[in-house]
């Protein structure tokens, strides 16, 4: 069984790299759709059934149900693969089509489809699709049926399911996916048996999970635990400014505070059409350009206000963050400076210093670019942002009156969409506003700003948010809770771990008031975390699970909640959960991850998204805690002193880690098969073997093997279990991070290019490997394999 499952996992893993270098068709031909892989998969399921009957698993009904459900799922998949078919058809408005392309061949349908109308909906003022619908007529002999098909809303007809797949480039036709799936009912039956067996088995008093919980509840690991700011110095850059500019900055810093708040309450239309407070865009601009939340003591609104009103002064102020020393040298800047002025990017003739470099780097494939070359593209983007702010083109704050697409424009393009009277009025108020800010007459500027706000409400009323939504978004960004929670999580987590190790090694219990205080803090922090997630969900209009940043902050929440709710007796567990939550939040706030709130693409506008993704990311929290607990047990096994107390601690940590792995695997399996249901109901296929779902499949196999290690009594030991538990988490990291950054066409492994791994990841990985090695050496010296008592 282990050999077969290992072959499945390794084969799929290799296929993801083959696909990255040689394309999907090659990976499918040699692995996913190959005969040998199907044979191995079939043999694995047959072996599972043989083991189930040999061990009389049917006497434990729930365990038998979810193990044998894989056989039912395999039968359903076979029926779909060998007796069903799926194809696509493109139809222009007014045309009729009675055939569908299946694997490059035209296959006749028992009915014909005529496209009456194709309708594309877009987000206001953007080209980004919000949804698309095909209004079709089905002709079947003497019958005629008027129907419509939309994204996430397919129709069924005579055993066929018709999906809205895409649309023609000129948007005058539709692309429909049509499939016939004879294995659907059997497959869904297998899913139902799997879900029922897994969930009920967790609650069954004789299940492995409940046995572990009883052991944990009788342990005496530790006391109850329920549950910095980095400052950027800008003095060096500011000291080189002229006395006039320095005085201007002082006046602007003190005088524009009240006006900047009012300025931030203007609405602006984002590139994807979302109407949001200008305060939000200004935060994004400052974070992108300076990688900081403030500049020379000024907030984001004050900086953008200055760029807009005094571009000739601000082009001399260092505000663009530059990391590469090679780029600094090219810009004729000292290697010690952190930020460079806008004018430093242009020579005395006004020519852009990075123009040739940007052209050369842009022509390179993504995986061919070095860190300095990537920095050049980032700097080019920052320079462009500053330029667009200075010209006012980035600030699309003026709604075009009576525009059917509800487009908003910046300070230049808006004049083409106004009548003469409207142009005169708006030019007067907008120019008077800029002039007043230029003259540092901030009170007068406030009056003109009110006129601009009135123009927004009058001509953009159809898409203008309500006051509560505006206030909610402003408060969400003002509180900025997630970075603060990150610091507190990490501090409390490290403190708790230190106390837990102290108690284990010294066999002393720390005063109870400290544990109670930490408990109260942890619960309050989790409430704050949940509140911040709820606020983001309200502001965005969807569950915060749609991109990398949102999923990371959600994983952090589930990690902390899992530790505080499921193992309240262990200081190691609760501290690990806080630490894991802090680590995920730390990763979420790396500069490479964008926290911007965006609109959803049409296919993600589904209830299945919230259910499928939330279940999967909650499993990551359980796996993360299990990894940390196993790592801590390895540390205890590596210490030179061995006492009865430490031995019990190691056993308890092993039980806790296994319990969390069982919960994590249960959620990961259910989440992935819920995703299969979503995929089948939305676009007609259960599984596409894309790298993300393939590595989730590998993670499921890996953790299934780790959980069943205890059955291999000839080789089983505590150190082996802990080592495998730690290493297994690499499949989760690969599923979440590796696929996004190394299997997305950004790197070619066939050319031998180096894999760029963050330095912090290398350091952490090295520490883990050192601890594992020390634990194995220590256990070997003890002359025992450390087999757990009572393994069953």
């Amino acid at each position: 069984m282990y050999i077969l499952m290992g072959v499945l996992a390794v084969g799929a893993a290799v296929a993801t790299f083959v696909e990255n270098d040689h394309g999907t068709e090659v990976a499918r031909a040699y692995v996913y759709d190959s005969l040998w892989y199907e044979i191995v998969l079939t043999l694995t399921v047959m072996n599972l059934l043989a083991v189930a009957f040999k061990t009389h698993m049917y006497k434990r009904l729930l365990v038998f149900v979810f193990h044998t459900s894989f056989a039912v799922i395999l039968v359903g998949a076979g029926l779909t693969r060998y007796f069903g078919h799926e194809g696509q058809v493109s139809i222009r408005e007014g045309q009729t089509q009675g055939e569908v392309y299946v694997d490059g061949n035209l296959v006749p349908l028992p009915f014909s489809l005529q496209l009456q109308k194709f309708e594309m909906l877009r987000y206001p003022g953007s080209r980004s699709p919000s949804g698309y619908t095909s209004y079709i007529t089905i002709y079947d002999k003497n019958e005629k049926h008027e129907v419509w098909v939309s994204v996430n809303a397919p129709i069924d007809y005579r055993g066929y399911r018709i999906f809205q797949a895409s649309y023609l480039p000129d948007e005058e036709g539709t692309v429909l996916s049509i499939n016939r799936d004879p294995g659907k009912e059997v497959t869904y039956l297998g899913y139902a048996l799997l879900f029922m067996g897994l969930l009920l088995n967790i609650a069954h008093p004789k299940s492995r999970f409940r046995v572990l919980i009883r052991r944990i509840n009788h342990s005496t690991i530790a006391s109850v635990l329920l549950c910095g700011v980095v400052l950027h110095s800008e003095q060096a850059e500011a000291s080189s400014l002229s006395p006039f500019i320095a005085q201007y900055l002082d006046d602007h810093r003190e005088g524009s505070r009240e006006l900047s708040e009012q300025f931030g309450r203007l609405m602006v239309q984002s590139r994807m059409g979302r109407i949001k407070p200008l305060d939000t865009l200004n935060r994004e601009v400052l974070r992108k350009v300076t990688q900081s939340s403030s500049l020379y003591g000024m907030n984001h609104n004050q900086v953008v206000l200055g760029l807009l009103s005094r571009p000739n002064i601000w082009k001399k102020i260092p505000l663009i963050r530059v990391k590469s020393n090679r780029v600094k040298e090219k810009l004729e800047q000292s290697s010690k400076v952190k930020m460079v002025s806008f004018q430093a990017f242009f020579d005395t003739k006004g020519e852009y210093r990075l123009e040739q470099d940007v052209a050369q780097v842009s022509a390179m494939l993504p995986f061919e670019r070095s860190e300095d070359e990537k920095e050049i593209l980032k700097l080019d983007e920052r320079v462009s942002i500053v330029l667009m702010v200075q010209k006012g083109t980035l600030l699309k704050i003026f709604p075009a009156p009576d525009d059917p697409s509800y487009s908003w424009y910046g300070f230049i393009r808006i004049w083409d969409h106004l009548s003469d009277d409207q142009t005169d009025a708006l030019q007067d108020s907008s120019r008077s506003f800029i002039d007043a800010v230029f003259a540092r007459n901030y009170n007068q500027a406030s009056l003109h700003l009110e006129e601009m706000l009135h123009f927004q409400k009058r001509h953009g009323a159809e898409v203008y948010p309500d006051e509560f939504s505006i206030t909610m978004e402003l408060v969400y960004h003002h509180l900025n809770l997630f970075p603060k929670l990150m610091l507190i999580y990490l501090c409390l987590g490290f403190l708790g771990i230190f106390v837990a190790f102290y108690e284990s090694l010294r066999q002393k219990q720390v005063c109870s008031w400290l544990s109670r205080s930490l408990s109260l803090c942890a619960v309050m922090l989790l409430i704050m975390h949940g509140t911040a997630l709820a606020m983001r969900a309200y502001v965005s209009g969807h569950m915060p699970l749609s991109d990398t940043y949102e999923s990371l902050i959600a994983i952090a929440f589930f990690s902390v909640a899992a530790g505080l709710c499921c193992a309240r007796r262990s200081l190691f567990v609760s501290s690990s959960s806080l630490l894991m939550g802090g680590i995920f939040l730390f990763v979420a706030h790396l500069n490479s991850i964008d926290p911007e709130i965006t609109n959803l693409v049409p296919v993600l506008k589904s209830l299945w998204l919230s259910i499928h993704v939330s279940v999967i990311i909650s499993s990551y929290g359980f796996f993360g805690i299990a990894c940390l607990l196993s790592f801590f047990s390895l540390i205890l096994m590596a210490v030179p002193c061995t006492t009865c107390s430490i031995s019990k601690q190691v056993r308890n940590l092993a039980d806790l880690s296994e319990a969390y792995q069982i919960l994590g695997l249960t959620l990961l399996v259910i989440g992935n098969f819920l995703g299969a249901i979503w995929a089948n109901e939305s676009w007609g296929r259960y599984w596409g073997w894309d790298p993300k779902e393939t590595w989730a499949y590998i993670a499921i196999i890996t953790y299934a093997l780790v959980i069943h290690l205890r059955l291999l009594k000839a080789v089983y030991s505590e150190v082996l279990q802990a080592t495998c538990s730690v290493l297994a988490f690499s499949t989760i990291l690969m599923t979440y991070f590796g696929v996004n950054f190394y299997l997305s066409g950004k790197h070619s492994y066939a050319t031998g290019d180096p894999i760029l791994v963050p330095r912090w990841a290398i350091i952490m990985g090295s520490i883990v490997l050192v601890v594992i090695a020390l634990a194995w050496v220590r256990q070997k010296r003890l002359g025992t394999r450390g087999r757990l008592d009572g393994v069953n």
Side-chain angles (χ1 to χ4, degrees):
M1 177 66 78
Y2 267 75
I3 294 175
L4 291 172
M5 294 181 70
V7 170
L8 291 176
V10 173
V14 171
T16 60
F17 292 94
V18 171
E19 181 179 4
N20 183 74
D21 286 345
H22 304 288
T24 303
E25 294 303 319
V26 176
R28 284 185 172 275
Y30 285 95
V31 182
Y32 302 138
D33 293 342
S34 65
L35 180 60
W36 75 264
Y37 201 79
E38 291 182 358
I39 291 174
V40 174
L41 186 61
T42 304
L43 289 175
T44 302
V45 174
M46 292 175 63
N47 191 282
L48 179 63
L49 291 175
V51 171
F53 284 100
K54 183 178 179 180
T55 59
H56 306 290
M57 197 181 291
Y58 49 81
K59 294 181 179 179
R60 294 177 291 166
L61 184 59
L62 293 176
V63 177
F64 181 75
V65 165
F66 76 76
H67 278 83
T68 55
S69 65
F70 290 104
V72 180
I73 294 172
L74 182 65
V75 171
L79 291 174
T80 300
R81 174 167 172 76
Y82 293 105
F83 299 98
H85 59 260
E86 176 185 0
Q88 288 191 339
V89 58
S90 301
I91 314 175
R92 289 193 170 274
E93 290 185 352
Q95 291 185 350
T96 302
Q97 183 62 264
E99 297 176 311
V100 61
Y101 278 96
V102 179
D103 296 329
N105 301 314
L106 275 175
V107 176
L109 294 170
F111 51 86
S112 58
L113 304 172
Q114 184 181 60
L115 179 63
Q116 303 297 336
K117 177 184 177 183
F118 177 75
E119 183 178 72
M120 169 76 76
L121 299 177
R122 300 186 186 277
Y123 287 108
S126 77
R127 299 292 297 172
S128 301
S130 172
Y132 31 93
T133 303
S134 299
Y135 296 89
I136 60 178
T137 300
I138 301 177
Y139 292 98
D140 188 0
K141 298 180 180 179
N142 297 324
E143 298 181 3
K144 176 182 176 182
H145 304 278
E146 303 285 346
V147 297
W148 60 270
V149 184
S150 184
V151 180
N152 292 321
I155 62 168
D156 293 297
Y157 185 76
R158 289 188 59 181
Y160 289 84
R161 174 159 278 203
I162 305 173
F163 304 85
Q164 179 68 66
S166 185
Y167 52 89
L168 299 181
D170 59 7
E171 299 178 14
E172 295 183 0
T174 186
V175 177
L176 301 176
S177 176
I178 303 176
N179 76 5
R180 186 180 182 88
D181 183 7
K184 177 180 177 180
E185 289 76 13
V186 177
T187 302
Y188 281 7
L189 173 62
Y191 290 172
L193 293 174
L194 177 64
F195 296 169
M196 180 184 68
L198 285 172
L199 293 174
L200 294 180
N201 184 65
I202 290 292
H204 195 276
K206 294 185 179 181
S207 68
R208 174 67 180 174
F209 177 76
R210 294 300 295 271
V211 169
L212 292 170
I213 292 300
R214 284 194 292 272
R215 284 187 195 169
I216 295 167
N217 289 336
H218 288 104
S219 69
T220 57
I221 288 186
S223 54
V224 177
L225 175 63
L226 281 176
C227 349
V229 180
V230 178
L231 299 176
H232 297 279
S233 173
E234 295 141 355
Q235 297 300 322
E237 288 82 358
S239 62
S240 61
L241 300 175
S242 68
F244 173 77
I245 294 179
Q247 183 61 48
Y248 161 77
L249 289 178
D250 290 338
D251 294 344
H252 186 68
R253 183 187 305 110
E254 299 301 325
S256 65
R257 292 188 186 278
E258 185 175 344
L259 177 65
S260 68
E261 293 183 10
Q262 186 180 1
F263 181 61
R265 290 191 71 89
L266 284 175
M267 293 294 107
V268 65
Q269 190 173 67
S270 72
R271 54 190 169 83
M272 289 188 66
R274 191 173 85 88
I275 306 299
K276 59 186 180 183
L278 185 57
D279 177 273
T280 301
L281 177 64
N282 294 343
R283 287 179 187 273
E284 295 165 359
V285 167
L286 189 61
R287 181 185 58 81
K288 178 73 73 173
V289 173
T290 70
Q291 297 186 3
S292 178
S293 59
S294 64
L295 184 69
Y296 306 120
M298 291 175 285
N299 64 36
H300 48 284
N301 291 323
Q302 290 177 298
V303 173
V304 173
L305 198 58
L307 284 168
L308 186 63
S309 60
R310 284 288 189 112
N312 288 332
I313 289 181
W314 280 86
K315 72 179 183 181
K316 303 175 183 178
I317 299 174
L319 79 161
I320 299 176
R321 180 76 63 176
V322 180
K323 295 180 179 179
S324 170
N325 288 332
R326 187 168 74 88
V327 175
K328 291 177 185 177
E329 182 180 353
K330 192 173 187 64
L331 298 176
E332 300 179 358
Q333 300 293 313
S334 169
S335 60
K336 297 181 180 180
V337 301
K338 295 181 179 179
M339 287 184 289
V340 176
S341 66
F342 177 79
Q343 70 176 8
F345 286 84
F346 301 87
D347 60 21
T348 55
K349 298 180 181 180
E351 295 182 356
Y352 187 35
R353 296 180 188 268
L354 300 182
E355 183 175 3
Q356 292 183 353
D357 298 88
V358 170
Q360 292 175 359
V361 176
S362 299
M364 299 168 64
L365 295 174
F367 61 81
E368 297 175 338
R369 299 167 185 161
S370 66
E371 287 301 307
D372 284 340
E373 289 163 340
K374 292 178 181 178
E375 175 75 2
I376 288 173
L377 293 182
K378 293 177 182 178
L379 286 173
D380 182 62
E381 181 186 18
R382 292 168 194 162
V383 171
S384 299
I385 290 174
V386 172
L387 184 62
M388 287 190 290
V389 172
Q390 290 176 338
K391 290 184 176 181
T393 55
L394 184 66
L395 311 182
K396 298 197 292 183
I397 59 176
F398 302 115
D402 304 319
D403 188 335
S405 63
Y406 307 117
S407 298
W408 293 35
Y409 298 95
F411 280 85
I412 297 178
R413 293 189 60 194
I414 184 59
W415 314 127
D416 299 330
H417 301 272
L418 300 177
S419 64
D420 293 339
D421 293 340
Q422 291 171 335
T423 300
D424 293 340
L426 185 58
Q427 281 185 341
D428 180 62
S429 60
S430 60
R431 287 175 179 173
S432 298
F433 168 72
I434 298 297
D435 292 341
V437 178
F438 179 89
R440 286 174 259 181
N441 187 351
Y442 299 112
N443 292 330
Q444 184 65 34
S446 178
L447 299 177
H448 298 298
L449 196 61
E450 286 292 339
E451 296 173 1
M452 295 164 63
L453 183 62
H454 177 72
F455 181 89
Q456 285 190 336
K457 292 181 178 180
R458 179 181 178 185
H459 297 289
E462 295 83 358
V463 293
Y464 196 91
D466 60 84
E467 286 299 320
F468 182 77
S469 297
I470 296 172
T471 302
M472 181 67 74
E473 183 161 356
L474 291 172
V475 171
Y476 167 79
H477 287 296
H478 177 72
L479 292 176
N480 198 25
L481 284 176
F482 294 120
K484 299 170 184 175
L485 286 169
M486 173 192 71
L487 292 173
I488 302 174
Y489 279 156
L490 291 175
C491 291
L492 287 179
F494 280 119
L495 176 62
I497 292 299
F498 175 80
V499 173
F501 274 111
Y502 179 85
E503 291 179 345
S504 298
L505 298 176
R506 297 294 184 181
Q507 301 184 42
K508 288 185 179 181
Q509 184 175 10
V510 177
C511 47
S512 58
W513 65 266
L514 176 60
S515 295
R516 288 195 296 269
S517 299
L518 291 176
S519 300
L520 180 61
C521 289
V523 172
M524 293 176 63
L525 290 172
L526 189 62
I527 293 173
M528 292 170 60
H529 197 148
T531 302
L533 284 173
M535 292 176 68
R536 186 177 178 96
Y538 182 87
V539 169
S540 64
H542 57 77
M543 290 291 289
L545 303 168
S546 62
D547 56 33
T548 302
Y549 179 80
E550 290 183 342
S551 57
L552 280 171
I553 59 178
I555 292 173
F557 175 82
F558 284 116
S559 297
V560 177
L564 300 185
C565 296
C566 298
R568 295 171 294 178
R569 287 175 174 256
S570 172
L571 188 57
F572 270 113
V573 173
S574 48
S575 300
S576 298
S577 67
L578 290 171
L579 197 58
M580 186 57 65
I583 291 172
F584 277 117
L585 287 180
F586 168 77
V587 175
H589 291 90
L590 295 176
N591 291 325
S592 58
I593 297 177
D594 191 355
E596 179 185 358
I597 297 175
T598 59
N599 292 321
L600 289 177
V601 296
V603 74
L604 297 183
K605 292 184 174 181
S606 170
L607 177 63
W608 288 106
L609 168 71
S610 302
I611 300 173
H612 157 63
V613 178
S614 60
V615 172
I616 286 182
I617 65 174
S618 63
S619 74
Y620 294 170
F622 286 102
F623 287 135
I625 296 174
C627 175
L628 281 180
L629 293 174
S630 296
F631 179 66
F632 295 146
S633 70
L634 286 169
I635 293 177
L636 290 175
M637 283 186 272
V639 296
C641 59
T642 303
T643 65
C644 181
S645 175
I646 291 180
S647 299
K648 290 181 179 179
Q649 196 79 287
V650 170
R651 292 192 187 97
N652 289 325
L653 288 174
D655 288 343
L656 285 164
S657 178
E658 185 180 349
Y660 273 93
Q661 288 173 26
I662 291 173
L663 287 173
L665 184 59
T666 298
L667 291 171
L668 185 60
V669 170
I670 292 176
N672 272 276
F673 283 105
L674 284 175
I677 296 174
W678 174 31
N680 189 52
E681 294 298 319
S682 295
W683 52 84
R685 57 98 173 155
Y686 302 92
W687 196 264
W689 291 110
D690 69 69
K692 178 74 76 172
E693 60 190 13
T694 301
W695 271 97
Y697 158 77
I698 295 169
I700 290 173
I701 294 176
T702 302
Y703 272 101
L705 295 176
V706 171
I707 288 175
H708 290 84
L709 267 177
R710 59 189 173 83
L711 301 178
L712 302 179
K713 297 183 179 181
V715 297
Y716 182 83
S717 67
E718 294 172 357
V719 67
L720 176 64
Q721 176 75 39
T723 301
C724 292
S725 298
V726 171
L727 297 179
F729 192 63
S730 63
T731 61
I732 300 297
L733 296 177
M734 187 65 190
T735 302
Y736 193 82
F737 295 107
V739 169
N740 292 340
F741 296 104
Y742 301 113
L743 290 179
S744 56
K746 299 178 181 178
H747 181 88
S748 176
Y749 299 88
T751 58
D753 298 300
I755 302 175
L756 300 177
V757 180
R759 185 176 301 174
W760 60 268
I762 295 175
I763 294 173
M764 292 178 64
S766 301
I767 293 173
V768 169
L769 293 177
V770 168
V771 171
I772 290 174
L774 291 175
W776 277 89
V777 170
R778 177 62 181 168
Q779 294 303 302
K780 185 176 181 180
R781 287 180 179 177
L782 291 176
T784 176
R785 291 181 303 173
R787 190 177 286 122
L788 282 171
D789 295 334
V791 171
N792 52 51

